[in-house]
Amino acid sequence: QVQLVESGGGLVQAGGSLRLSCAASGSIFSINRMGWYRQAPGKQRELVASIANSYSTNYADSVKGRFTISRDNAKNTLYLQMNSLKPEDTAVYYCNARRLQSDYAWLDYWGQGTQVTVSS
């Protein structure tokens, strides 16, 4: 099992910045990839950014150049630095950890989510 706890959300004005953190614990050694997802009211959950154990990263087009995902393995913590925030970035942000199982199916772990609200 893997436990994920997010922090760092809040209310910010458009153009501002926030940094989200996700503290991981449990069977961390089994994780292949971590990422951030978000879900706005009435919309589906979407991938924001992800990072593999190789440190390769992937970003949604809507956040490229504004958001940066990173990880500190010594602290077992995942980060999302969000700059130049826009009202459309308002959502609940979820930390995700993925493990590739022996049958090649992905097993997902989720945090409880942290609210990010960007005012115009």
Side-chain angles (χ1 to χ4, degrees), residues 1-7 21-25 31 33-40 44-50 69 78 92-99 106-114:
Q1 288 289 336
V2 174
Q3 294 78 43
L4 305 171
V5 179
E6 302 103 331
S7 61
S21 299
C22 173
S25 60
I31 296 304
R33 193 171 193 93
M34 296 190 73
W36 290 96
Y37 287 71
R38 67 186 181 186
Q39 187 167 18
Q44 288 189 332
R45 190 173 297 189
E46 63 175 358
L47 175 68
V48 176
S50 65
I69 190 170
L78 180 73
V92 177
Y93 284 70
Y94 296 91
C95 179
N96 168 265
R98 310 199 86 185
R99 185 179 80 194
W106 286 103
L107 178 61
D108 285 301
Y109 298 95
W110 296 95
Q112 81 286 354
T114 186

Side-chain angles (χ1 to χ4, degrees), residues 55-103:
Y55 289 88
S56 66
T57 58
N58 180 48
Y59 293 92
D61 288 342
S62 59
V63 306
K64 283 181 181 177
R66 300 188 298 123
F67 290 11
T68 302
I69 190 170
S70 61
R71 59 194 294 174
D72 185 333
N73 289 338
K75 296 181 178 180
N76 295 330
T77 302
L78 180 73
Y79 301 101
L80 184 68
Q81 178 66 43
M82 305 185 293
N83 298 329
S84 302
L85 282 161
K86 304 175 181 181
E88 50 263 44
D89 294 318
T90 295
V92 177
Y93 284 70
Y94 296 91
C95 179
N96 168 265
R98 310 199 86 185
R99 185 179 80 194
L100 187 61
Q101 302 180 99
S102 58
D103 62 356

Side-chain angles (χ1 to χ4, degrees), residues 4-33:
L4 305 171
V5 179
E6 302 103 331
S7 61
L11 174 64
V12 64
Q13 288 189 333
S17 298
L18 280 175
R19 188 176 81 156
L20 304 183
S21 299
C22 173
S25 60
S27 303
I28 303 169
F29 63 89
S30 66
I31 296 304
N32 302 100
R33 193 171 193 93

